[in-house]
Amino acid sequence: MFVHVVDEELALKLVELSDAERIFELTDRSRLALREWLPWLDHTKTVQDTKDFIQSGAESFALGNSLNCAIVYRGEIAGIAGFNEIDEAKKTAYIGYWLDTEYQGNGIMTRVAAALTDYALTERGLNKVEIRAAAGNHKSRNIPVRLGFTEEGIIRHGEWLYDHFVDSVVYGMLKSEWLSEKAK
């Protein structure tokens, strides 16, 4: 099983079926806040929906195409983060994340995104990490900015959110840039 220690209070672990109830609980209690920016909330109505997500993610992980992790903060699952897609042909990983509202404001997601970026570029040998966020989602957009990612552009109407399109801002980090920053 994949477990990646981020620091003394934070780790990432491959999501397991036994995590489904906790993840659904977090999803359900943060539903309104998450729904503002994430398109899958209306399709996650039961614990079984969360189990289906976990099973699909496990199959994709086995093929090397993604990595869905539980964010474990001080021993409790606090959200989900990982690689929505790993494109070996392009040597690129695409980070996605969400955090229960109770845990926001503690720097958790910045540390998680840094750990995922480092893992992709140093341990997985990929060349680029991308993070995409809705143009209006400033909390999410601040994470790649804090980590020194480059804003590469805007995909107009990049995502459909229930009843409207939102533009997506693309941020990228190249391996050479990441290693240069780590060396400082």
Side-chain angles (χ1 to χ4, degrees):
M1 173 163 89
F2 177 88
V3 176
H4 186 82
V5 175
V6 176
D7 57 37
E8 64 281 345
E9 62 182 6
L10 196 54
L12 296 167
K13 75 172 197 81
L14 189 63
V15 180
E16 302 175 285
L17 285 174
S18 60
D19 301 323
E21 287 191 30
R22 171 66 175 168
I23 293 167
F24 180 75
E25 172 193 331
L26 297 177
T27 301
D28 208 37
R29 77 180 187 199
S30 295
R31 185 173 298 279
L32 288 176
L34 295 174
R35 192 178 188 279
E36 183 176 6
W37 302 115
L38 298 173
W40 47 265
L41 273 293
D42 287 358
H43 303 289
T44 306
K45 298 175 183 168
T46 66
V47 173
Q48 185 58 51
D49 294 331
T50 300
K51 287 180 179 179
D52 293 345
F53 160 76
I54 292 169
Q55 185 60 43
S56 174
E59 292 166 8
S60 184
F61 174 73
L63 296 171
N65 296 329
S66 70
L67 174 65
N68 293 319
C69 293
I71 299 167
V72 181
Y73 177 69
R74 297 180 178 171
E76 295 287 331
I77 294 176
I80 299 291
F83 305 125
N84 293 334
E85 180 185 355
I86 300 168
D87 187 329
E88 288 290 346
K90 293 180 182 177
K91 300 283 186 207
T92 302
Y94 302 86
I95 294 178
Y97 43 77
W98 65 266
L99 194 62
D100 176 59
T101 53
E102 179 182 315
Y103 295 93
Q104 293 177 10
N106 295 305
I108 293 169
M109 203 55 77
T110 300
R111 289 183 280 164
V112 164
L116 286 167
T117 300
D118 194 64
Y119 174 75
L121 300 176
T122 63
E123 294 183 45
R124 285 290 305 256
L126 299 175
N127 184 59
K128 185 177 183 182
V129 171
E130 281 189 14
I131 296 175
R132 296 179 182 202
N137 188 347
H138 298 289
K139 283 184 181 179
S140 200
R141 289 181 59 193
N142 285 338
I143 292 163
V145 169
R146 276 194 289 273
L147 294 174
F149 278 58
T150 299
E151 183 177 320
E152 297 185 339
I154 296 174
I155 300 172
R156 296 178 306 143
H157 287 195
E159 190 161 38
W160 176 254
L161 288 179
Y162 309 102
D163 62 356
H164 66 285
F165 284 102
V166 294
D167 295 344
S168 297
V169 182
V170 179
Y171 295 90
M173 176 64 72
L174 301 177
K175 182 176 190 171
S176 58
E177 296 165 338
W178 186 256
L179 294 178
S180 175
E181 280 301 310
K182 279 182 68 171
K184 290 181 182 179

